[in-house]
Amino acid sequence: MILIRANIYIDGFNLYYRALRDTPDRWLDLGRLAHLLLPGHEINRIRYFTARVSSRPGDPTQAQRQQAYLRALMTVPDLTIHYGHFLAKRKRRPLAAPPPTGSAIVEILDTEEKGSDVNLASYLLLDGFEQDYELAVVISNDSDLQLPITFARDRLLRTVGVFDPSRRRSFELSQAASWYRRLRRGPLSASHFADALSDEQGVIVKPSSW
């Protein structure tokens, strides 16, 4: 039997905030997930797009937890991690319910992740141009990916599917993709890493708060 060669493109923060945050599924084995989502396919490569976080006073172990997870991901065969970056800016914003006296404007620190969507789009198109896959699967509900998915499908004649981790349907992605499906809880819950695993640096332990 000839298997369809598939590449998986994962928008890490979109997946986390749409489907994993505050759930028991954060310690997610993306290799196992890929095989559950695409049974009978050859998983050629998995590309994971993210940015390194910095710990904050309210969450001093955030960076440590992420680093443990990134190490765990690097044990998955044929998985590569592609990094964007965070951009922090001070911004002034009006209060929704200003006080009777005093300023109605507050200064906030706005943190924005930059680069992951561009990186994902670039690799989706580059890999398609180089005929690295027969099927590309994007895990995201970011409507900014509509155009590169359309180009990969219509110009490069590649099949591009979308698993949407959000509860709200993305009309843009559902129109652009060859097929569009909801990423359901069952495969996520069945795709956890072991609580402890090893790499060349030593033992990787699941964060206790996860």
Side-chain angles (χ1 to χ4, degrees):
M1 181 176 66
I2 299 176
L3 302 181
I4 296 174
R5 188 171 72 255
N7 285 4
I8 318 295
Y9 301 83
I10 301 171
D11 183 343
F13 282 102
N14 193 278
L15 172 61
Y16 179 81
Y17 284 106
R18 296 292 184 264
L20 303 179
R21 187 182 186 185
D22 300 325
T23 77
D25 300 326
R26 286 169 285 180
W27 194 235
L28 185 64
D29 181 343
L30 297 177
R32 172 66 175 160
L33 179 65
H35 285 284
L36 289 179
L37 293 178
L38 299 173
H41 290 67
E42 174 195 349
I43 305 302
N44 181 53
R45 71 177 74 253
I46 302 169
R47 296 192 186 276
Y48 181 74
F49 300 88
T50 189
R52 294 188 185 276
V53 302
S54 298
S55 296
R56 295 186 175 187
D59 191 0
T61 64
Q62 184 180 17
Q64 182 180 350
R65 295 196 307 272
Q66 186 197 41
Q67 182 57 32
Y69 183 60
L70 295 176
R71 282 180 61 194
L73 285 182
M74 290 304 296
T75 68
V76 176
D78 302 312
L79 184 146
T80 52
I81 301 176
H82 307 271
Y83 292 99
H85 64 278
F86 277 100
L87 183 65
K89 293 182 178 179
R90 292 180 179 272
K91 294 184 178 181
R92 294 174 62 81
R93 292 287 184 266
L95 289 168
T101 59
S103 176
I105 304 295
V106 295
E107 187 175 65
I108 64 169
L109 183 63
D110 183 61
T111 304
E112 184 179 4
E113 191 270 329
K114 305 287 287 185
S116 287
D117 53 350
V118 174
N119 292 343
L120 192 159
S122 298
Y123 276 105
L124 175 69
L125 294 172
L126 177 63
D127 291 345
F129 179 78
E130 295 183 342
Q131 299 185 17
D132 191 56
Y133 59 78
E134 296 169 279
L135 167 66
V137 172
V138 176
I139 299 180
S140 180
N141 84 322
D142 186 345
S143 60
D144 288 345
L145 297 174
Q146 178 184 13
L147 190 58
I149 289 174
T150 300
F151 283 165
R153 186 194 67 185
D154 294 346
R155 297 294 187 90
L156 301 180
L157 304 181
R158 302 289 101 183
T159 300
V160 185
V162 169
F163 278 103
D164 189 337
S166 176
R167 294 182 180 181
R168 299 183 63 181
R169 181 180 182 88
S170 170
F171 175 80
E172 293 85 357
L173 297 190
S174 65
Q175 293 297 304
S178 305
W179 50 259
Y180 174 93
R181 299 170 189 164
R182 169 100 181 274
L183 180 60
R184 300 191 179 277
R185 182 60 51 190
L188 296 174
S189 298
S191 300
H192 295 183
F193 284 114
D195 288 352
L197 57 160
S198 299
D199 64 3
E200 59 185 13
Q201 300 177 47
V203 178
I204 310 164
V205 179
K206 175 183 176 181
S208 58
S209 60
W210 286 10

